[in-house]
Amino acid sequence: MLTHADSYSLDCLRFDNRFVRELPGDTETDNFRRQVYGACYSLVQPTPVKSPRLVAYSAEVAAELGLSDQDCLSEDFCQVFAGNRLAAGMQPFAMCYGGHQFGHWAGQLGDGRAINLGEAVCPDGRRRTLQLKGAGRTPYSRSADGLAVLRSSVREFLCSEAMHHLGVPTTRALSVVLTGENVVRDMFYDGNPQLEPGAVVCRVAPSFTRFGNFQIFTARDDLESLKKLADYTIRSDFPELGEPSPKVYLRWFEEVCRLTAEMVVHWQRVGFVHGVMNTDNMSILGLTIDYGPYGWLENYDPDWTPNTTDAQGRRYRFGNQPKIAYWNLVQLANAIYPLVMRAEALEQALLTFSETFEAEWRATMAAKLGLSRFDTDNDQELVSDLLQLLQAAEVDMTLFYRQLAELDPCDPAVAVAGFLTMLENNSYAAIAEEQRNRAVAWFQRYCERSRQDGSDRDVRRARMNAVNPKYVLRNYLAQLAIDQAEQGDFDLVGELLEVLRNPYAEQPGRERFAEKRPDWAKQRAGCSMLSCSS
């Protein structure tokens, strides 16, 4: 049995566990796999591990929580965030939720390998839920072991922080801790299980409530629990909307639609592919959540998905993410319908997603191209033709937009040659003559549009470099860090974390982190192919 620490450094954290205190919980206290009814959560203890060892921590997240570097390097930090010890005030629980997986209702899912330690109150008064992923079985683990491996934990840790510094709404990550134990994983579900080092990642967010938390109650016709959860969510996370009522439920849903649209626009802006946009992986706060088989576009390909489980249908491919987000919101609308009882009003609220996404996407594409505004009459075709060109020529998306800022559209005679060279240098395939001709024609139109826009060259460059990152967590970079970490060397994890803290800065001397995918990484597991065990 875990015990609360008496005089350890992590006792400086202050907890106020409203979720457990104010919502109905599971009356069964034993931890065994089962269907849980009439409850938002089950109390559960993390499983102690043999030999915790710190891999990395985020200084920024720690500071938000009021933890110093000394705290994070302490033995107590390692013990607490491996799940071996509960700091004073922690009240661990696993959440109950359901969800649609790959478009099909899957029934009860829940926190199968995630355990919420409690709700920390930060020094500035903000609240953050601390959640351990990989800390052992819960009543929602189904046939799984509730554990995580170093590979997936490093990926989640680095990507959570990378996304935050890119300006993408996301959950955060405080730490990664090795457990000192091995975990059996069949990475591609192909009958070849292997032992991998176990690890625990600590996620941090205002709330980990998902669309599926509401869906499970509606599916079970448990409208009392549905209302309690909706009322709690509005009061805790959307207090500006007022006291819960049918009108406020609608305004709340509109806000969730808006937040979700803004999140997906950011995904499309930086080339992020979530990989498994099931409704149980959609945050009610519009945060990117559950970093599993995600990936980053290298050559621009709207049909690409990193998830091997989705390789045939490609439901969650890059170009389909806005449509899937909308579909998921429709499922949320169905879940909260009993609270509103006005189908037309919910349908009207759904327009918030479409309108927000369209407006934000146009503004984003204008900025990515250095334009002060999006000209609806002309720029739609300019953008569409560019995306077709980038796909046909297999051009690296991140490098293209970043380097486009260095070309002077006011000197097209010189810039055209530079544009073609830039395309060739950033392509993953030989560029055919027809594509070169298309490229020249597009760039000439772009130069004319830029001159019409009239922005100063420095203003244009600054505008582009503010939205087009130089550094993203390229799939092969994450894998290189994992390879070294599995050998006990965490230096590259730390260096990547440092680089990704300033993705829009030039960072002289770190150019190797902003290079095209090397040939060896094209087909290597972990670099281009991932599964839900990743």
Side-chain angles (χ1 to χ4, degrees):
M1 172 69 71
L2 292 173
T3 58
H4 286 275
D6 293 323
S7 58
Y8 296 99
S9 60
L10 270 293
D11 280 350
C12 65
L13 292 169
R14 184 165 68 91
F15 288 88
D16 180 26
N17 303 311
R18 293 188 306 193
F19 191 90
V20 170
R21 185 173 65 245
E22 298 182 16
L23 289 171
D26 186 1
T27 56
E28 173 61 67
T29 57
D30 288 344
N31 185 3
F32 62 93
R33 296 166 223 178
R34 61 188 182 273
Q35 293 291 303
V36 175
Y37 294 93
C40 293
Y41 64 89
S42 301
L43 295 176
V44 61
Q45 301 288 309
T47 301
V49 300
K50 185 186 299 181
S51 183
R53 181 185 177 192
L54 182 65
V55 175
Y57 70 93
S58 167
E60 291 96 342
V61 177
E64 285 187 13
L65 296 170
L67 297 176
S68 67
D69 287 336
Q70 183 178 357
D71 292 328
C72 296
L73 294 172
S74 69
E75 177 63 19
D76 192 41
F77 184 91
C78 228
Q79 294 293 333
V80 168
F81 293 114
N84 278 6
R85 183 178 294 147
L86 296 179
M90 288 182 173
Q91 194 173 6
F93 65 95
M95 298 173 79
C96 180
Y97 50 82
H100 283 83
Q101 297 194 323
F102 297 93
H104 302 284
W105 177 246
Q108 177 181 293
L109 297 167
D111 284 334
R113 59 172 174 172
I115 296 176
N116 302 273
L117 294 175
E119 299 170 62
V121 181
C122 301
D124 63 4
R126 291 182 298 171
R127 306 169 69 89
R128 292 292 180 265
T129 298
L130 308 184
Q131 183 184 87
L132 300 184
K133 181 177 179 180
R137 289 190 177 95
T138 77
Y140 310 100
S141 295
R142 292 171 285 170
S143 61
D145 57 18
L147 304 177
V149 296
L150 181 62
R151 166 173 50 87
S152 62
S153 300
V154 166
R155 282 173 49 81
E156 172 136 14
F157 173 77
L158 286 176
C159 199
S160 299
E161 292 306 283
M163 292 282 271
H164 168 75
H165 292 296
L166 284 165
V168 182
T170 181
T171 58
R172 304 291 300 275
L174 172 62
S175 60
V176 182
V177 177
L178 275 169
T179 64
E181 301 174 0
N182 287 325
V183 176
V184 178
R185 282 291 178 269
D186 185 349
M187 184 174 178
F188 291 111
Y189 310 123
D190 59 1
N192 293 296
Q194 296 184 9
L195 288 174
E196 299 188 45
V200 178
V201 62
C202 180
R203 302 157 149 178
V204 180
S207 162
F208 286 94
T209 305
R210 306 145 187 268
F211 290 10
N213 289 77
F214 303 91
Q215 288 183 281
I216 190 68
F217 293 129
T218 306
R220 291 172 167 173
D221 201 27
D222 182 359
L223 304 187
E224 181 181 356
S225 296
L226 172 68
K227 185 177 187 304
K228 287 179 179 179
L229 179 61
D231 290 356
Y232 171 85
T233 300
I234 291 170
R235 289 177 178 135
S236 298
D237 299 314
F238 300 87
E240 69 279 3
L241 299 179
E243 271 298 293
S245 68
K247 288 184 178 180
V248 170
Y249 295 139
L250 273 174
R251 289 204 297 271
W252 167 55
F253 181 63
E254 287 178 356
E255 184 66 4
V256 174
C257 289
R258 184 186 67 78
L259 293 170
T260 302
E262 291 177 348
M263 174 188 72
V264 177
V265 166
H266 280 293
W267 290 1
Q268 305 304 102
R269 172 176 66 84
V270 299
F272 175 78
V273 190
H274 186 280
V276 60
M277 290 177 67
N278 298 329
T279 58
D280 58 297
N281 293 336
M282 297 292 292
S283 161
I284 204 71
L285 299 180
L287 303 175
T288 313
I289 193 171
D290 283 343
Y291 290 96
Y294 70 81
W296 296 80
L297 282 189
E298 286 160 338
N299 56 294
Y300 179 79
D301 181 1
D303 294 325
W304 183 71
T305 177
N307 189 353
T308 56
T309 311
D310 194 26
Q312 186 172 3
R314 298 184 182 274
R315 174 181 175 85
Y316 298 141
R317 63 193 182 274
F318 176 73
N320 208 39
Q321 291 183 135
K323 291 181 180 178
I324 292 297
Y326 181 87
W327 189 91
N328 288 342
L329 285 163
V330 171
Q331 309 319 309
L332 177 61
N334 291 334
I336 66 170
Y337 172 77
L339 302 176
V340 178
M341 300 300 289
R342 294 171 56 199
E344 288 186 4
L346 287 167
E347 291 171 358
Q348 187 68 27
L350 278 165
L351 292 176
T352 302
F353 174 87
S354 304
E355 293 168 353
T356 301
F357 182 86
E358 187 63 29
E360 294 291 328
W361 178 241
R362 288 177 175 178
T364 293
M365 286 309 301
K368 286 181 76 66
L369 293 175
L371 305 174
S372 61
R373 65 179 184 84
F374 190 92
D375 182 344
T376 306
D377 294 333
N378 300 303
D379 292 346
Q380 191 67 49
E381 184 178 0
L382 186 73
V383 169
S384 178
D385 289 350
L386 171 61
L387 298 181
Q388 292 176 32
L389 173 64
L390 296 181
Q391 183 177 10
E394 297 185 37
V395 176
D396 189 288
M397 174 182 166
T398 302
L399 293 176
F400 172 83
Y401 285 110
R402 185 71 180 193
Q403 294 178 17
L404 183 63
E406 300 306 312
L407 300 177
D408 185 1
C410 293
D411 190 4
V414 174
V416 164
F419 181 72
L420 288 174
T421 299
M422 186 260 282
L423 274 187
E424 290 169 349
N425 289 342
N426 294 324
S427 174
Y428 291 94
I431 298 181
E433 186 63 26
E434 184 269 336
Q435 291 167 356
R436 288 173 62 89
N437 293 337
R438 285 173 59 191
V440 169
W442 180 86
F443 188 66
Q444 289 173 336
R445 288 163 53 204
Y446 169 67
C447 288
E448 177 60 28
R449 175 68 181 90
S450 295
R451 289 193 296 273
Q452 291 174 0
D453 190 71
S455 294
D456 175 85
R457 184 178 181 182
D458 290 338
V459 170
R460 169 181 169 272
R461 182 191 294 114
R463 182 182 293 135
M464 297 175 76
N465 287 349
V467 297
N468 296 322
K470 181 170 182 175
Y471 301 95
V472 297
L473 184 59
R474 291 178 177 271
N475 313 316
Y476 79 90
L477 291 175
Q479 189 58 45
L480 288 175
I482 290 165
D483 291 345
Q484 291 189 19
E486 289 179 338
Q487 301 303 313
D489 181 354
F490 309 141
D491 287 351
L492 187 53
V493 174
E495 189 173 9
L496 266 178
L497 179 63
E498 185 63 25
V499 169
L500 296 169
R501 291 177 67 245
N502 296 285
Y504 300 100
E506 287 298 321
Q507 301 192 55
R510 287 176 166 163
E511 290 80 5
R512 68 187 185 283
F513 295 109
E515 294 177 347
K516 282 169 55 180
R517 177 195 67 225
D519 290 341
W520 61 260
K522 186 173 183 180
Q523 298 299 332
R524 184 180 164 188
C527 298
S528 60
M529 303 170 292
L530 299 151
S531 72
C532 290
S533 76
S534 302

